[in-house]
Amino acid sequence: MISDRPDVLIVGAGFAGMYAIHRFRNQGLNVLALEAGSDVGGTWYWNRYPGARCDVPSLEYSFGFSKELEQQWGWPEVFSAQPDILRYANHVADRFDLRGNIRFNTRVNAVDYLEQQNLWRATTEHGEQIEARFCVMATGCLSVPNTPKLPGAESFTGRVLHTGLWPKEKVDLAGKRVGVIGTGSSGVQAIPELAKQAHHLTVFQRTPVYTVPANRKAMRDAVQQEFRDRYHDIRKMQQQNPGGVSGFQPLASVNRPATDPAAPPLAPAAILELTPDQRRQVVAERGLGALLTFRDAYTNLEANEAANEAFRDGVRSIVDNPDTAERLCPTTYGLGCKRQVLDRDYYVTFNRDDVTLVDVTETPIESITENGICTSAQSYDFDVLIYATGFDAMTGALLRANITGREGQRLADKWRHGPVAYLGLQMSGFPNLFTVTGPGSPSVLCNMLVAIEQHVNWIGDCIDYLRENNLARIEPLPEAENDWVAHVNEVAKGTMYTTPGCNSWYLGANIPGKPRIFMPYVGGYPRYRERCEQIVANGYEGFRFR
Ligand code: N01
């Protein structure tokens, strides 16, 4: 039931908010979630663009908190598409009766701490105010779309879309001239589908991407059943894996003798042990994705460059027009710097006559006009302009919520030089306010569902601890928070994520003026989880209570 005096206020009803409702309600807490969208699903509610799908296997990108759910839900594909993941979110909402605790179409514009009352007050866009002892920001890591400020953007008279805010109703692109800006994960997934639908597609690329073919397998009953039989072990394996993915290989999915189904595949060779011809042969025989299996490519800059060059050779072998192929070859950064992108027919799409690639580093976008885009070389007319320009990641949604803590301290001021948080769970000066998969936690470097469950469980246990011990509030000590931020930075140093020339949204580099800090925790999910557990075992080390 919707309550205006909840114990816990949750902002967001994506997978994090949904599980938080279920978990906290089971603890006997009165819970209210506020959600800007008209339904559940978060990322999968907003990102409905053609081609959207997950890059984590669906049997693993699923909740582990309910054995019945695990046993009864069926996935149609190994890597499911957005409509199926949204269907799953809706099923979870129905099955656990979550909607009764969610107020939809309600964006939170401000979150303020009322020190005297020790309450958090959320003010919605409609001016309503809701107060609660605890506030849990389940606002997602990639939920604030980034639309670059291009001169004249408002003057375009055609339709404007953003991949991260795709409309619910079907978008008909038949016969339309479509321009798309951006070639990250969203653009790469959308471009082949947009090309099939549009009369002509023009792709504006600033930085070429390293993308490899995605697994397209339909789910086989035998594979799904093996997972169901082994889920108990698989969930434990997820807890031990740096990325929160078990890596379980069902016997039914591989042509391998019936030995241990969890045995790892053969160790891949080092790329530096192969000649350039041998590297090309690997790509020719096994595809671009084979390059991701050379472990040295992620630990040694020379090996990395060898893999990058083999990748470029692979692109040149797929794309017919040599100039287009060259433009599609990444040269300014290496594999492993950004989130690995997976595609379905990305490069061959550029062999179509109705697809044009424009490199905006050669011919920059000068303005958006009434009719389309004007670059330094020519004008392009469009009926539809699509921004596939990513997100203000990790900190964007938290800052947009205008959070003010103790003594009037604004989160925006505290984070002026980059996010400062303890374990990505709490910030000093903001008592009883928690973030799910906040900056400084493994979050986007982990299977999000695993990361979400761990955070929500930790927060739920913490709230129980406060109640059982008659403690009014909890917040981190500034020194614990600073030490954690230093540790997060330390472990990111020397990884491919922070090599010179690497400009990713992990670093905030995609948003002009955003502080350049590596935001997620790269030390691995198990190490992080153990640290969280140890902190609790040590009486919430690094936190203070009142
Ligand atoms: O965003 P991005 P995304 N002029 O920031 C370009 C997850 N995800 O939405 O690289 C011209 O990666 C920008 O160019 P540059 C996943 O974690 C997952 O694609 O900044 N271009 C870039 O090409 C992913 O990493 C899945 O030079 C401009 C693009 O826009 C994350 O979301 C699917 C520009 C943005 O790429 C973000 O992916 C989709 C400008 N002014 C998303 N501004 C899967 O699970 C930006 N760009 C598979």
Coordinates of all heavy atoms in Angstrom, one line a residue, residues 153-235:
A153 N 20.5 23.5 -32.0 CA 19.8 22.3 -31.8 C 18.2 22.4 -31.8 O 17.5 21.6 -32.3 CB 20.2 21.6 -30.5
E154 N 17.8 23.5 -31.2 CA 16.3 23.7 -31.1 C 15.6 24.0 -32.5 O 14.4 23.9 -32.6 CB 15.9 24.9 -30.2 CG 16.9 25.2 -29.0 CD 18.2 25.7 -29.5 OE1 18.3 26.6 -30.4 OE2 19.2 25.1 -29.0
S155 N 16.5 24.4 -33.5 CA 15.8 24.9 -34.7 C 15.4 23.7 -35.6 O 14.6 23.9 -36.5 CB 16.8 25.8 -35.5 OG 18.0 25.0 -35.7
F156 N 15.9 22.5 -35.3 CA 15.5 21.4 -36.2 C 14.0 21.1 -36.1 O 13.4 21.0 -35.1 CB 16.3 20.1 -35.7 CG 16.0 18.9 -36.5 CD1 16.4 18.9 -37.9 CD2 15.4 17.8 -36.0 CE1 16.1 17.7 -38.7 CE2 15.2 16.6 -36.7 CZ 15.5 16.6 -38.1
T157 N 13.4 21.0 -37.3 CA 11.9 20.9 -37.3 C 11.5 19.5 -37.5 O 10.3 19.2 -37.4 CB 11.3 21.7 -38.5 OG1 12.0 21.3 -39.7 CG2 11.5 23.2 -38.3
G158 N 12.4 18.5 -37.7 CA 12.0 17.1 -37.8 C 11.9 16.5 -36.4 O 11.9 17.3 -35.4
R159 N 11.8 15.2 -36.3 CA 11.6 14.6 -35.0 C 13.0 14.3 -34.4 O 13.9 13.9 -35.0 CB 10.9 13.2 -35.2 CG 10.6 12.6 -33.9 CD 9.5 11.5 -34.1 NE 9.1 11.1 -32.8 CZ 8.4 10.0 -32.5 NH1 8.0 9.3 -33.5 NH2 8.0 9.7 -31.3
V160 N 13.1 14.6 -33.1 CA 14.3 14.4 -32.3 C 14.1 13.2 -31.3 O 13.1 13.2 -30.6 CB 14.8 15.6 -31.6 CG1 16.0 15.4 -30.8 CG2 14.9 16.8 -32.5
L161 N 15.0 12.3 -31.3 CA 14.9 11.1 -30.4 C 16.3 10.9 -29.7 O 17.3 11.3 -30.2 CB 14.6 9.9 -31.1 CG 13.2 9.8 -31.9 CD1 13.2 8.6 -32.8 CD2 12.1 9.8 -30.9
H162 N 16.2 10.4 -28.5 CA 17.4 10.0 -27.8 C 17.3 8.5 -27.5 O 16.2 8.0 -27.1 CB 17.6 10.8 -26.5 CG 19.0 10.6 -25.9 ND1 19.5 9.4 -25.4 CD2 20.0 11.5 -25.8 CE1 20.7 9.6 -25.0 NE2 21.1 10.9 -25.2
T163 N 18.3 7.7 -27.8 CA 18.2 6.2 -27.5 C 17.9 6.0 -26.1 O 17.1 5.0 -25.8 CB 19.6 5.5 -27.8 OG1 20.6 6.3 -27.2 CG2 19.8 5.4 -29.3
G164 N 18.3 6.8 -25.1 CA 18.0 6.6 -23.7 C 16.7 7.1 -23.3 O 16.4 7.0 -22.1
L165 N 15.9 7.6 -24.2 CA 14.6 8.2 -23.8 C 13.6 7.8 -25.0 O 12.8 8.6 -25.4 CB 14.6 9.7 -23.7 CG 15.2 10.3 -22.5 CD1 15.3 11.8 -22.7 CD2 14.5 9.9 -21.2
W166 N 13.8 6.6 -25.4 CA 13.0 6.2 -26.6 C 11.5 6.1 -26.3 O 11.2 5.6 -25.3 CB 13.6 4.8 -27.1 CG 13.3 4.5 -28.6 CD1 12.2 3.8 -29.0 CD2 14.0 5.0 -29.7 NE1 12.3 3.8 -30.4 CE2 13.4 4.5 -30.8 CE3 15.1 5.8 -29.9 CZ2 13.8 4.8 -32.1 CZ3 15.6 6.1 -31.1 CH2 14.9 5.6 -32.3
P167 N 10.7 6.5 -27.2 CA 9.2 6.5 -26.9 C 8.7 5.1 -26.8 O 9.2 4.2 -27.3 CB 8.6 7.2 -28.2 CG 9.7 7.7 -29.0 CD 11.0 7.1 -28.6
K168 N 7.6 5.0 -26.1 CA 6.9 3.7 -25.9 C 6.2 3.2 -27.1 O 6.2 2.1 -27.4 CB 5.9 3.8 -24.8 CG 6.4 3.7 -23.4 CD 5.2 3.5 -22.5 CE 5.5 4.1 -21.1 NZ 4.3 4.2 -20.3
E169 N 5.6 4.2 -27.9 CA 4.9 3.8 -29.1 C 5.9 3.5 -30.2 O 7.0 4.1 -30.2 CB 3.9 4.8 -29.5 CG 4.4 6.2 -29.8 CD 4.7 7.1 -28.5 OE1 4.6 6.6 -27.4 OE2 5.1 8.2 -28.7
K170 N 5.5 2.7 -31.1 CA 6.4 2.4 -32.2 C 6.8 3.6 -33.0 O 6.0 4.5 -33.3 CB 5.7 1.4 -33.2 CG 6.5 0.8 -34.2 CD 5.8 -0.3 -35.0 CE 6.4 -0.6 -36.4 NZ 7.9 -0.5 -36.5
V171 N 8.1 3.7 -33.3 CA 8.6 4.8 -34.2 C 8.7 4.3 -35.6 O 9.4 3.4 -35.9 CB 10.0 5.3 -33.6 CG1 10.5 6.4 -34.5 CG2 9.9 5.8 -32.2
D172 N 8.0 4.9 -36.5 CA 8.0 4.5 -37.9 C 9.0 5.2 -38.7 O 8.9 6.4 -38.9 CB 6.6 4.7 -38.5 CG 6.5 4.1 -39.9 OD1 7.5 3.4 -40.3 OD2 5.5 4.3 -40.6
L173 N 10.1 4.6 -39.1 CA 11.2 5.2 -39.8 C 11.1 4.9 -41.3 O 12.0 5.4 -42.0 CB 12.5 4.8 -39.2 CG 12.8 5.2 -37.7 CD1 14.1 4.6 -37.2 CD2 12.8 6.7 -37.6
A174 N 10.1 4.2 -41.7 CA 10.0 3.8 -43.1 C 10.0 5.0 -44.0 O 9.2 6.0 -43.7 CB 8.8 2.9 -43.3
G175 N 10.9 5.0 -45.0 CA 10.9 6.1 -45.9 C 11.5 7.4 -45.4 O 11.6 8.4 -46.1
K176 N 12.1 7.3 -44.2 CA 12.6 8.6 -43.5 C 14.1 8.7 -43.7 O 14.8 7.7 -43.7 CB 12.3 8.5 -42.0 CG 10.8 8.4 -41.7 CD 10.2 9.8 -41.6 CE 8.8 9.9 -41.2 NZ 7.9 8.8 -41.1
R177 N 14.6 9.9 -43.8 CA 16.0 10.2 -43.8 C 16.4 10.4 -42.3 O 15.9 11.3 -41.7 CB 16.3 11.4 -44.6 CG 15.9 11.4 -46.1 CD 15.8 12.7 -46.7 NE 14.8 13.5 -46.0 CZ 14.6 14.8 -46.1 NH1 15.3 15.5 -47.0 NH2 13.7 15.5 -45.4
V178 N 17.3 9.5 -41.9 CA 17.6 9.5 -40.4 C 19.1 9.8 -40.2 O 19.9 9.3 -40.9 CB 17.3 8.1 -39.8 CG1 17.6 8.1 -38.4 CG2 15.8 7.8 -40.0
G179 N 19.3 10.7 -39.3 CA 20.7 11.0 -38.9 C 20.9 10.5 -37.4 O 20.0 10.6 -36.6
V180 N 22.0 9.8 -37.2 CA 22.3 9.4 -35.8 C 23.7 9.9 -35.4 O 24.6 9.7 -36.1 CB 22.1 7.8 -35.6 CG1 23.0 7.1 -36.6 CG2 22.4 7.4 -34.2
I181 N 23.7 10.5 -34.2 CA 25.0 10.9 -33.6 C 25.4 10.0 -32.5 O 24.6 9.8 -31.6 CB 24.8 12.4 -33.1 CG1 24.3 13.3 -34.1 CG2 26.2 12.9 -32.5 CD1 24.0 14.7 -33.6
G182 N 26.6 9.4 -32.6 CA 27.1 8.6 -31.6 C 27.3 7.1 -32.0 O 26.4 6.6 -32.6
T183 N 28.4 6.6 -31.6 CA 28.7 5.2 -32.0 C 29.3 4.4 -30.7 O 30.3 3.7 -30.8 CB 29.7 5.1 -33.1 OG1 30.9 5.9 -32.8 CG2 29.1 5.6 -34.4
G184 N 28.6 4.6 -29.6 CA 28.9 3.8 -28.4 C 28.0 2.6 -28.4 O 27.5 2.2 -29.5
S185 N 27.9 1.9 -27.3 CA 27.1 0.7 -27.2 C 25.7 0.9 -27.8 O 25.2 0.1 -28.6 CB 26.9 0.2 -25.8 OG 28.1 -0.1 -25.3
S186 N 25.0 2.0 -27.5 CA 23.7 2.2 -27.9 C 23.6 2.5 -29.4 O 22.8 1.8 -30.1 CB 23.0 3.5 -27.2 OG 23.1 3.4 -25.9
G187 N 24.5 3.3 -29.9 CA 24.6 3.6 -31.4 C 24.9 2.3 -32.2 O 24.2 2.0 -33.2
V188 N 25.8 1.6 -31.7 CA 26.2 0.3 -32.4 C 25.1 -0.7 -32.4 O 24.9 -1.4 -33.4 CB 27.5 -0.3 -31.7 CG1 27.7 -1.7 -32.1 CG2 28.7 0.6 -32.0
Q189 N 24.3 -0.8 -31.4 CA 23.2 -1.7 -31.4 C 22.1 -1.2 -32.3 O 21.4 -1.9 -33.0 CB 22.6 -1.9 -30.0 CG 23.5 -2.7 -29.1 CD 22.8 -3.0 -27.8 OE1 22.0 -2.3 -27.3 NE2 23.1 -4.2 -27.2
A190 N 21.9 0.2 -32.3 CA 20.7 0.7 -33.0 C 21.0 0.8 -34.5 O 20.1 0.6 -35.3 CB 20.4 2.1 -32.5
I191 N 22.3 1.1 -34.9 CA 22.6 1.5 -36.3 C 22.1 0.4 -37.3 O 21.4 0.7 -38.3 CB 24.1 1.9 -36.4 CG1 24.2 3.3 -35.9 CG2 24.6 1.8 -37.9 CD1 25.6 3.8 -35.5
P192 N 22.5 -0.9 -37.1 CA 22.0 -1.9 -38.0 C 20.5 -2.0 -38.2 O 20.0 -2.2 -39.3 CB 22.6 -3.2 -37.5 CG 23.8 -2.8 -36.6 CD 23.3 -1.5 -36.0
E193 N 19.8 -1.8 -37.1 CA 18.3 -1.9 -37.1 C 17.8 -0.6 -37.8 O 16.8 -0.7 -38.5 CB 17.8 -2.0 -35.7 CG 18.2 -3.3 -35.0 CD 17.8 -4.5 -35.8 OE1 16.7 -4.6 -36.2 OE2 18.7 -5.4 -35.9
L194 N 18.3 0.5 -37.5 CA 17.9 1.8 -38.1 C 18.1 1.7 -39.6 O 17.2 2.2 -40.4 CB 18.6 3.0 -37.5 CG 18.4 3.2 -36.0 CD1 19.3 4.4 -35.5 CD2 17.0 3.6 -35.6
A195 N 19.2 1.2 -40.0 CA 19.5 1.1 -41.4 C 18.5 0.3 -42.1 O 18.1 0.6 -43.3 CB 20.9 0.5 -41.6
K196 N 18.0 -0.8 -41.5 CA 17.0 -1.7 -42.1 C 15.7 -0.9 -42.3 O 14.9 -1.2 -43.2 CB 16.7 -2.9 -41.2 CG 17.8 -3.9 -41.3 CD 17.5 -5.1 -40.4 CE 18.7 -5.7 -39.8 NZ 18.4 -6.5 -38.6
Q197 N 15.4 0.0 -41.4 CA 14.1 0.6 -41.4 C 14.0 1.9 -42.2 O 13.0 2.3 -42.8 CB 13.6 1.0 -39.9 CG 13.5 -0.3 -39.1 CD 13.2 0.1 -37.6 OE1 12.8 1.2 -37.3 NE2 13.5 -0.8 -36.7
A198 N 15.1 2.7 -42.2 CA 15.1 4.0 -42.7 C 15.3 4.0 -44.3 O 15.8 3.0 -44.8 CB 16.2 4.9 -42.1
H199 N 14.9 5.1 -44.9 CA 15.2 5.3 -46.3 C 16.7 5.4 -46.5 O 17.3 4.8 -47.4 CB 14.4 6.5 -46.8 CG 14.9 6.9 -48.2 ND1 14.6 6.1 -49.3 CD2 15.6 8.0 -48.6 CE1 15.1 6.7 -50.4 NE2 15.7 7.9 -50.0
H200 N 17.3 6.3 -45.6 CA 18.8 6.5 -45.7 C 19.2 6.8 -44.2 O 18.6 7.6 -43.6 CB 19.2 7.6 -46.6 CG 20.7 7.6 -46.9 ND1 21.2 7.0 -48.0 CD2 21.7 8.0 -46.1 CE1 22.6 7.1 -47.9 NE2 22.9 7.7 -46.8
L201 N 20.3 6.2 -43.8 CA 20.8 6.5 -42.5 C 22.2 7.1 -42.6 O 23.1 6.6 -43.4 CB 21.0 5.2 -41.7 CG 21.5 5.3 -40.3 CD1 20.5 6.0 -39.4 CD2 21.9 3.9 -39.7
T202 N 22.4 8.2 -41.9 CA 23.7 8.9 -41.9 C 24.2 8.8 -40.5 O 23.5 9.3 -39.5 CB 23.6 10.4 -42.4 OG1 23.0 10.4 -43.6 CG2 25.0 11.0 -42.5
V203 N 25.4 8.3 -40.3 CA 26.0 8.0 -39.0 C 27.1 9.1 -38.7 O 28.0 9.1 -39.5 CB 26.6 6.6 -38.8 CG1 27.2 6.4 -37.5 CG2 25.5 5.6 -39.1
F204 N 26.9 9.9 -37.7 CA 27.9 10.9 -37.3 C 28.8 10.3 -36.2 O 28.3 10.1 -35.1 CB 27.3 12.2 -36.9 CG 26.6 12.9 -38.0 CD1 25.3 12.5 -38.3 CD2 27.2 13.8 -38.8 CE1 24.6 13.1 -39.4 CE2 26.6 14.4 -39.9 CZ 25.3 14.0 -40.2
Q205 N 30.0 10.0 -36.5 CA 30.9 9.3 -35.6 C 32.0 10.2 -35.2 O 32.7 10.9 -36.0 CB 31.5 8.1 -36.3 CG 32.7 7.4 -35.5 CD 33.5 6.5 -36.4 OE1 33.2 5.3 -36.5 NE2 34.6 7.0 -37.0
R206 N 32.2 10.3 -33.8 CA 33.4 11.1 -33.3 C 34.5 10.2 -33.0 O 35.7 10.4 -33.4 CB 33.0 11.9 -32.1 CG 34.0 12.9 -31.6 CD 33.5 13.9 -30.7 NE 33.1 13.4 -29.5 CZ 32.5 14.1 -28.5 NH1 32.4 15.4 -28.6 NH2 32.2 13.5 -27.3
T207 N 34.3 9.1 -32.3 CA 35.3 8.1 -32.0 C 34.9 6.7 -32.4 O 33.9 6.3 -32.0 CB 35.6 8.1 -30.4 OG1 35.7 9.5 -30.0 CG2 36.8 7.3 -30.1
P208 N 35.7 6.1 -33.3 CA 35.3 4.7 -33.7 C 35.4 3.8 -32.5 O 36.1 4.1 -31.5 CB 36.4 4.4 -34.7 CG 37.2 5.6 -35.0 CD 37.0 6.5 -33.9
V209 N 34.7 2.7 -32.6 CA 34.5 1.8 -31.5 C 35.2 0.5 -31.8 O 35.4 0.1 -32.9 CB 33.0 1.7 -31.3 CG1 32.3 1.0 -32.5 CG2 32.6 1.0 -30.0
Y210 N 35.5 -0.3 -30.7 CA 35.9 -1.7 -30.9 C 34.7 -2.5 -30.6 O 34.3 -2.6 -29.4 CB 37.0 -2.1 -29.9 CG 38.4 -1.4 -30.1 CD1 38.8 -0.3 -29.4 CD2 39.3 -2.0 -31.0 CE1 40.0 0.3 -29.6 CE2 40.5 -1.5 -31.2 CZ 40.9 -0.3 -30.5 OH 42.1 0.2 -30.6
T211 N 34.1 -3.0 -31.6 CA 32.9 -3.8 -31.3 C 33.0 -5.2 -31.9 O 33.6 -5.4 -33.0 CB 31.6 -3.1 -31.7 OG1 30.5 -4.1 -31.6 CG2 31.6 -2.7 -33.2
V212 N 32.5 -6.2 -31.1 CA 32.7 -7.6 -31.6 C 31.3 -8.2 -31.7 O 30.4 -7.8 -31.0 CB 33.6 -8.4 -30.7 CG1 35.0 -7.8 -30.6 CG2 33.0 -8.6 -29.3
P213 N 31.1 -9.2 -32.5 CA 29.8 -9.8 -32.7 C 29.2 -10.4 -31.4 O 30.0 -11.1 -30.6 CB 30.0 -10.9 -33.7 CG 31.2 -10.5 -34.4 CD 32.1 -9.8 -33.4
A214 N 28.0 -10.1 -31.1 CA 27.3 -10.7 -29.9 C 26.9 -12.1 -30.2 O 26.7 -12.5 -31.3 CB 26.1 -9.8 -29.6
N215 N 26.7 -12.8 -29.1 CA 26.1 -14.2 -29.1 C 24.7 -14.1 -29.5 O 23.9 -13.3 -28.9 CB 26.3 -14.8 -27.7 CG 25.7 -16.1 -27.6 OD1 24.7 -16.4 -28.2 ND2 26.4 -17.0 -26.9
R216 N 24.3 -14.8 -30.6 CA 22.9 -14.6 -31.0 C 22.0 -15.9 -30.7 O 21.0 -16.1 -31.4 CB 22.9 -14.5 -32.6 CG 23.6 -13.3 -33.1 CD 23.4 -13.3 -34.6 NE 24.1 -12.1 -35.1 CZ 23.7 -11.4 -36.1 NH1 22.5 -11.8 -36.7 NH2 24.3 -10.4 -36.6
K217 N 22.5 -16.7 -29.9 CA 21.8 -18.0 -29.7 C 20.5 -17.9 -29.0 O 20.3 -17.1 -28.0 CB 22.7 -18.9 -28.8 CG 23.9 -19.5 -29.6 CD 24.6 -20.5 -28.7 CE 25.9 -20.8 -29.4 NZ 27.0 -21.2 -28.4
A218 N 19.5 -18.6 -29.6 CA 18.2 -18.8 -28.9 C 18.5 -19.7 -27.7 O 19.4 -20.5 -27.7 CB 17.2 -19.4 -29.9
M219 N 17.7 -19.5 -26.7 CA 17.8 -20.3 -25.5 C 17.3 -21.7 -25.8 O 16.2 -21.9 -26.3 CB 17.0 -19.7 -24.3 CG 17.2 -20.4 -23.0 SD 18.8 -20.3 -22.4 CE 18.8 -18.6 -21.8
R220 N 18.1 -22.7 -25.4 CA 17.7 -24.1 -25.6 C 17.2 -24.6 -24.2 O 17.7 -24.2 -23.1 CB 18.8 -24.9 -26.1 CG 19.2 -24.6 -27.5 CD 20.4 -25.3 -28.0 NE 20.4 -26.7 -27.6 CZ 21.5 -27.3 -27.3 NH1 22.7 -26.7 -27.2 NH2 21.5 -28.6 -26.9
D221 N 16.1 -25.4 -24.3 CA 15.5 -25.9 -23.0 C 16.5 -26.6 -22.1 O 16.5 -26.4 -20.9 CB 14.3 -26.8 -23.3 CG 13.2 -26.1 -23.9 OD1 13.2 -24.8 -23.9 OD2 12.3 -26.8 -24.5
A222 N 17.4 -27.3 -22.8 CA 18.4 -28.1 -22.0 C 19.3 -27.2 -21.3 O 19.7 -27.5 -20.1 CB 19.1 -29.1 -23.0
V223 N 19.7 -26.1 -21.9 CA 20.6 -25.1 -21.3 C 19.9 -24.5 -20.1 O 20.5 -24.4 -19.0 CB 21.1 -24.1 -22.3 CG1 21.8 -22.9 -21.6 CG2 22.0 -24.7 -23.3
Q224 N 18.7 -24.0 -20.3 CA 17.9 -23.4 -19.3 C 17.7 -24.4 -18.1 O 17.9 -24.0 -16.9 CB 16.6 -23.0 -19.8 CG 15.8 -22.3 -18.8 CD 15.2 -21.0 -19.4 OE1 15.9 -20.1 -19.8 NE2 13.9 -20.9 -19.4
Q225 N 17.5 -25.6 -18.4 CA 17.2 -26.6 -17.3 C 18.5 -26.8 -16.5 O 18.5 -26.9 -15.3 CB 16.7 -27.9 -17.9 CG 16.2 -28.9 -16.8 CD 15.1 -28.2 -15.9 OE1 14.2 -27.5 -16.4 NE2 15.3 -28.3 -14.6
E226 N 19.7 -26.9 -17.2 CA 20.9 -27.1 -16.5 C 21.2 -25.9 -15.5 O 21.6 -26.1 -14.4 CB 22.1 -27.1 -17.5 CG 22.6 -28.5 -17.7 CD 23.8 -28.5 -18.6 OE1 23.7 -28.5 -19.8 OE2 24.9 -28.4 -18.0
F227 N 20.8 -24.7 -16.0 CA 21.0 -23.6 -15.1 C 20.0 -23.7 -13.9 O 20.5 -23.5 -12.7 CB 20.7 -22.3 -15.8 CG 21.9 -21.5 -16.2 CD1 22.6 -21.9 -17.4 CD2 22.4 -20.5 -15.4 CE1 23.7 -21.2 -17.7 CE2 23.5 -19.8 -15.8 CZ 24.2 -20.2 -17.0
R228 N 18.8 -24.1 -14.1 CA 17.9 -24.3 -13.0 C 18.4 -25.3 -12.0 O 18.3 -25.1 -10.8 CB 16.5 -24.6 -13.6 CG 15.8 -23.5 -14.3 CD 14.5 -23.9 -14.8 NE 13.8 -22.8 -15.5 CZ 13.0 -22.9 -16.5 NH1 12.7 -24.1 -17.0 NH2 12.4 -21.8 -17.0
D229 N 18.9 -26.4 -12.6 CA 19.4 -27.5 -11.7 C 20.6 -27.0 -10.9 O 20.8 -27.5 -9.8 CB 19.8 -28.7 -12.5 CG 18.6 -29.3 -13.2 OD1 17.4 -29.0 -12.8 OD2 18.8 -30.1 -14.1
R230 N 21.4 -26.1 -11.5 CA 22.7 -25.7 -10.8 C 22.6 -24.3 -10.2 O 23.7 -23.8 -9.8 CB 23.8 -25.8 -11.9 CG 24.1 -27.2 -12.4 CD 24.9 -28.0 -11.4 NE 26.1 -27.4 -10.9 CZ 27.3 -27.5 -11.5 NH1 27.4 -28.3 -12.5 NH2 28.3 -26.9 -10.9
Y231 N 21.5 -23.7 -10.2 CA 21.4 -22.3 -9.8 C 22.1 -22.1 -8.4 O 22.7 -21.0 -8.2 CB 20.0 -21.7 -9.8 CG 19.8 -20.7 -10.9 CD1 18.6 -20.8 -11.7 CD2 20.7 -19.7 -11.2 CE1 18.4 -19.9 -12.8 CE2 20.5 -18.8 -12.3 CZ 19.3 -18.9 -13.0 OH 19.1 -18.0 -14.1
H232 N 21.9 -23.0 -7.5 CA 22.4 -22.8 -6.2 C 24.0 -22.6 -6.3 O 24.5 -21.7 -5.7 CB 22.1 -24.1 -5.4 CG 22.7 -24.0 -4.0 ND1 22.2 -23.2 -3.0 CD2 23.8 -24.7 -3.5 CE1 22.9 -23.4 -1.9 NE2 23.8 -24.3 -2.1
D233 N 24.6 -23.4 -7.1 CA 26.1 -23.3 -7.3 C 26.4 -22.0 -8.1 O 27.4 -21.4 -7.8 CB 26.7 -24.5 -8.0 CG 26.4 -25.8 -7.3 OD1 26.3 -25.7 -6.0 OD2 26.2 -26.8 -7.9
I234 N 25.6 -21.8 -9.1 CA 25.9 -20.7 -10.0 C 25.9 -19.3 -9.2 O 26.7 -18.5 -9.4 CB 24.9 -20.6 -11.2 CG1 25.2 -21.8 -12.1 CG2 24.9 -19.3 -11.9 CD1 24.1 -22.1 -13.1
R235 N 24.9 -19.2 -8.4 CA 24.8 -17.9 -7.6 C 26.1 -17.8 -6.7 O 26.6 -16.7 -6.5 CB 23.5 -17.9 -6.7 CG 22.2 -17.9 -7.5 CD 22.1 -16.7 -8.4 NE 20.9 -16.7 -9.2 CZ 20.6 -15.9 -10.2 NH1 21.5 -15.1 -10.7 NH2 19.4 -15.9 -10.8

